PDB file of all heavy atoms in Angstrom:
ATOM      1  N   ASP D 101     -27.681 -11.572  11.595  1.00 78.00           N
ATOM      2  CA  ASP D 101     -28.405 -12.914  11.407  1.00 78.00           C
ATOM      3  C   ASP D 101     -29.052 -13.466  12.676  1.00 78.00           C
ATOM      4  O   ASP D 101     -29.353 -14.717  12.745  1.00 78.00           O
ATOM      5  CB  ASP D 101     -27.494 -13.883  10.864  1.00 78.00           C
ATOM      6  CG  ASP D 101     -26.995 -13.613   9.484  1.00 78.00           C
ATOM      7  OD1 ASP D 101     -27.721 -13.177   8.610  1.00 78.00           O
ATOM      8  OD2 ASP D 101     -25.658 -13.780   9.198  1.00 78.00           O
ATOM      9  N   GLY D 102     -29.222 -12.568  13.659  1.00 76.00           N
ATOM     10  CA  GLY D 102     -29.852 -13.063  14.868  1.00 76.00           C
ATOM     11  C   GLY D 102     -28.817 -13.842  15.847  1.00 76.00           C
ATOM     12  O   GLY D 102     -29.280 -14.385  16.758  1.00 76.00           O
ATOM     13  N   ASP D 103     -27.483 -13.924  15.426  1.00 77.00           N
ATOM     14  CA  ASP D 103     -26.585 -14.705  16.218  1.00 77.00           C
ATOM     15  C   ASP D 103     -26.304 -14.049  17.513  1.00 77.00           C
ATOM     16  O   ASP D 103     -25.687 -12.911  17.551  1.00 77.00           O
ATOM     17  CB  ASP D 103     -25.372 -14.833  15.304  1.00 77.00           C
ATOM     18  CG  ASP D 103     -24.230 -15.452  16.089  1.00 77.00           C
ATOM     19  OD1 ASP D 103     -24.444 -16.131  17.129  1.00 77.00           O
ATOM     20  OD2 ASP D 103     -23.051 -15.527  15.611  1.00 77.00           O
ATOM     21  N   PRO D 104     -26.520 -14.741  18.663  1.00 78.00           N
ATOM     22  CA  PRO D 104     -26.388 -14.030  19.927  1.00 78.00           C
ATOM     23  C   PRO D 104     -24.964 -13.593  20.114  1.00 78.00           C
ATOM     24  O   PRO D 104     -24.680 -12.529  20.710  1.00 78.00           O
ATOM     25  CB  PRO D 104     -26.733 -14.985  20.946  1.00 78.00           C
ATOM     26  CG  PRO D 104     -27.686 -16.033  20.206  1.00 78.00           C
ATOM     27  CD  PRO D 104     -27.204 -16.064  18.866  1.00 78.00           C
ATOM     28  N   GLU D 105     -23.967 -14.368  19.585  1.00 77.00           N
ATOM     29  CA  GLU D 105     -22.515 -14.062  19.907  1.00 77.00           C
ATOM     30  C   GLU D 105     -22.185 -12.842  19.246  1.00 77.00           C
ATOM     31  O   GLU D 105     -21.497 -11.860  19.668  1.00 77.00           O
ATOM     32  CB  GLU D 105     -21.570 -15.247  19.518  1.00 77.00           C
ATOM     33  CG  GLU D 105     -21.587 -16.199  20.609  1.00 77.00           C
ATOM     34  CD  GLU D 105     -21.453 -15.594  22.039  1.00 77.00           C
ATOM     35  OE1 GLU D 105     -20.477 -14.808  22.338  1.00 77.00           O
ATOM     36  OE2 GLU D 105     -22.284 -15.884  22.940  1.00 77.00           O
ATOM     37  N   HIS D 106     -22.662 -12.752  17.876  1.00 75.00           N
ATOM     38  CA  HIS D 106     -22.397 -11.599  17.036  1.00 75.00           C
ATOM     39  C   HIS D 106     -23.033 -10.267  17.721  1.00 75.00           C
ATOM     40  O   HIS D 106     -22.498  -9.264  17.741  1.00 75.00           O
ATOM     41  CB  HIS D 106     -22.920 -11.849  15.660  1.00 75.00           C
ATOM     42  CG  HIS D 106     -22.481 -10.826  14.606  1.00 75.00           C
ATOM     43  ND1 HIS D 106     -21.451 -10.999  13.845  1.00 75.00           N
ATOM     44  CD2 HIS D 106     -22.811  -9.513  14.418  1.00 75.00           C
ATOM     45  CE1 HIS D 106     -21.242  -9.916  13.082  1.00 75.00           C
ATOM     46  NE2 HIS D 106     -22.074  -9.038  13.464  1.00 75.00           N
ATOM     47  N   GLU D 107     -24.298 -10.474  18.069  1.00 78.00           N
ATOM     48  CA  GLU D 107     -24.892  -9.339  18.737  1.00 78.00           C
ATOM     49  C   GLU D 107     -24.189  -8.906  20.062  1.00 78.00           C
ATOM     50  O   GLU D 107     -24.061  -7.604  20.329  1.00 78.00           O
ATOM     51  CB  GLU D 107     -26.421  -9.793  19.153  1.00 78.00           C
ATOM     52  CG  GLU D 107     -27.243  -9.966  17.945  1.00 78.00           C
ATOM     53  CD  GLU D 107     -28.816 -10.215  18.154  1.00 78.00           C
ATOM     54  OE1 GLU D 107     -29.143 -10.202  19.408  1.00 78.00           O
ATOM     55  OE2 GLU D 107     -29.602 -10.144  17.280  1.00 78.00           O
ATOM     56  N   ARG D 108     -23.772  -9.832  20.807  1.00 78.00           N
ATOM     57  CA  ARG D 108     -23.082  -9.533  22.081  1.00 78.00           C
ATOM     58  C   ARG D 108     -21.890  -8.654  21.695  1.00 78.00           C
ATOM     59  O   ARG D 108     -21.546  -7.668  22.389  1.00 78.00           O
ATOM     60  CB  ARG D 108     -22.816 -10.784  22.754  1.00 78.00           C
ATOM     61  CG  ARG D 108     -22.563 -10.569  24.274  1.00 78.00           C
ATOM     62  CD  ARG D 108     -22.021 -11.702  24.934  1.00 78.00           C
ATOM     63  NE  ARG D 108     -22.717 -13.012  24.603  1.00 78.00           N
ATOM     64  CZ  ARG D 108     -23.915 -13.476  25.147  1.00 78.00           C
ATOM     65  NH1 ARG D 108     -24.453 -12.760  26.237  1.00 78.00           N
ATOM     66  NH2 ARG D 108     -24.502 -14.478  24.747  1.00 78.00           N
ATOM     67  N   ALA D 109     -21.077  -9.135  20.766  1.00 73.00           N
ATOM     68  CA  ALA D 109     -19.794  -8.546  20.412  1.00 73.00           C
ATOM     69  C   ALA D 109     -20.009  -7.043  20.142  1.00 73.00           C
ATOM     70  O   ALA D 109     -19.192  -6.174  20.495  1.00 73.00           O
ATOM     71  CB  ALA D 109     -19.163  -9.120  19.166  1.00 73.00           C
ATOM     72  N   PHE D 110     -21.185  -6.703  19.537  1.00 73.00           N
ATOM     73  CA  PHE D 110     -21.418  -5.308  19.262  1.00 73.00           C
ATOM     74  C   PHE D 110     -21.606  -4.367  20.376  1.00 73.00           C
ATOM     75  O   PHE D 110     -21.256  -3.225  20.433  1.00 73.00           O
ATOM     76  CB  PHE D 110     -22.686  -5.164  18.213  1.00 73.00           C
ATOM     77  CG  PHE D 110     -22.254  -4.602  17.037  1.00 73.00           C
ATOM     78  CD1 PHE D 110     -21.933  -5.382  15.922  1.00 73.00           C
ATOM     79  CD2 PHE D 110     -22.077  -3.205  16.845  1.00 73.00           C
ATOM     80  CE1 PHE D 110     -21.504  -4.888  14.730  1.00 73.00           C
ATOM     81  CE2 PHE D 110     -21.767  -2.659  15.602  1.00 73.00           C
ATOM     82  CZ  PHE D 110     -21.548  -3.558  14.527  1.00 73.00           C
ATOM     83  N   ILE D 111     -22.288  -4.867  21.468  1.00 75.00           N
ATOM     84  CA  ILE D 111     -22.448  -4.053  22.561  1.00 75.00           C
ATOM     85  C   ILE D 111     -21.586  -4.257  23.763  1.00 75.00           C
ATOM     86  O   ILE D 111     -21.602  -3.532  24.760  1.00 75.00           O
ATOM     87  CB  ILE D 111     -23.970  -4.188  23.065  1.00 75.00           C
ATOM     88  CG1 ILE D 111     -24.243  -5.602  23.398  1.00 75.00           C
ATOM     89  CG2 ILE D 111     -24.866  -3.757  21.831  1.00 75.00           C
ATOM     90  CD1 ILE D 111     -25.579  -5.755  24.178  1.00 75.00           C
ATOM     91  N   ALA D 112     -20.829  -5.396  23.663  1.00 71.00           N
ATOM     92  CA  ALA D 112     -20.001  -5.752  24.961  1.00 71.00           C
ATOM     93  C   ALA D 112     -18.565  -5.608  24.676  1.00 71.00           C
ATOM     94  O   ALA D 112     -17.698  -5.398  25.581  1.00 71.00           O
ATOM     95  CB  ALA D 112     -20.313  -7.214  25.338  1.00 71.00           C
TER      96      ALA D 112
END
Side-chain angles (χ1 to χ4, degrees):
Chain D
D101 296 314
D103 173 16
E105 279 318 304
H106 190 102
E107 292 191 348
R108 200 188 315 275
F110 241 94
I111 60 167

